[in-house]
Amino acid sequence: LKNPIAGARGAAQLIASSDPAEIRELSELIICELDRARRIADHWSQVGDIALGPLEPINMHALVRKAVCSARAGGSGLIAWEEHFDPSLPEALADEDLALQAILNLLINAAEAQGEEEGRVSVTTRYRAARPGGPAPDARIEVMVEDNGAGIPELMQSAVFNPFVTSKPAGEGLGLALVARIAELHGGGVEFE
């Protein structure tokens, strides 16, 4: 819940210094993020797990753009955001709120990997052929998030998607674990290099 609330808070801070054309967009973001926080809270079926909501056809490009907008609003402003979309992607059948949260967690993680430095976060969508023995052999749509941060420490790499594993002093180690769980609920997978 901290991510949508941070996005809403960042947007509210920007409203104070925005021109009238930007005010409407930022206020819509605040409303959207707070509504999403409420829906995510409703998804919790029991402590430590999330229930999959209704699956609907979603446009991945629109979903990724929404996540980038939220991450940008809640971030430091030192990040250069890049989007690379495959225009041939079909709609994905997904729980929109959970899919958005997974992508947002990846974007926030990538932005935080920059520390206090200027950095780059790139998000790419593409059609991916099934790979025998891969984490999700039936997956066809790939969302890839890349950054130019320091990377994941070698000692943590084997457990990076486990709960409570973090290299951040103020981190809780739940973001990537949540990404992995959401991907699993959708019949997908998550990996890193």
Side-chain angles (χ1 to χ4, degrees):
L1 293 176
K2 292 192 296 184
N3 291 339
I5 291 170
R9 188 173 190 281
Q13 289 172 327
L14 291 173
I15 284 177
S17 62
S18 296
D19 65 46
E22 292 177 332
I23 290 175
R24 181 177 171 161
E25 181 180 334
L26 292 172
S27 63
E28 288 172 359
L29 177 63
I30 291 171
I31 292 166
C32 238
E33 290 295 88
L34 293 174
D35 286 347
R36 189 166 63 85
R38 181 187 43 77
R39 288 191 304 269
I40 289 171
D42 291 343
H43 278 296
W44 285 94
S45 60
Q46 57 186 332
V47 174
D49 202 5
I50 289 182
L52 191 62
L55 300 179
E56 302 176 63
I58 59 170
N59 179 309
M60 290 305 292
H61 302 142
L63 188 79
V64 169
R65 281 200 175 106
K66 192 183 289 188
V68 169
C69 183
S70 183
R72 184 183 291 132
S76 69
L78 295 174
I79 304 298
W81 297 90
E82 299 175 5
E83 298 172 354
H84 307 282
F85 295 148
D86 177 348
S88 69
L89 285 185
E91 288 187 323
L93 194 60
D95 176 323
E96 184 173 356
D97 289 329
L98 292 183
L100 177 62
Q101 188 62 49
I103 294 168
L104 184 56
N105 282 8
L106 293 172
L107 293 172
I108 290 170
N109 198 60
E112 289 176 349
Q114 313 302 321
E116 297 298 317
E117 305 295 321
E118 290 185 18
R120 178 192 55 80
V121 175
S122 172
V123 60
T124 303
T125 62
R126 69 180 184 165
Y127 186 80
R128 176 180 174 170
R131 187 178 63 171
D138 295 329
R140 296 288 190 260
I141 295 177
E142 179 178 74
V143 177
M144 181 170 43
V145 176
E146 295 178 277
D147 65 70
N148 62 341
I152 298 170
E154 191 172 338
L155 292 174
M156 302 178 104
Q157 290 181 3
S158 64
V160 73
F161 296 112
N162 293 341
F164 310 114
V165 174
T166 185
S167 62
K168 300 173 192 170
E172 296 165 354
L174 296 175
L176 292 178
L178 183 61
V179 169
R181 179 66 178 136
I182 291 170
E184 177 186 350
L185 286 170
H186 285 87
V190 62
E191 56 192 18
F192 79 95
E193 57 181 69

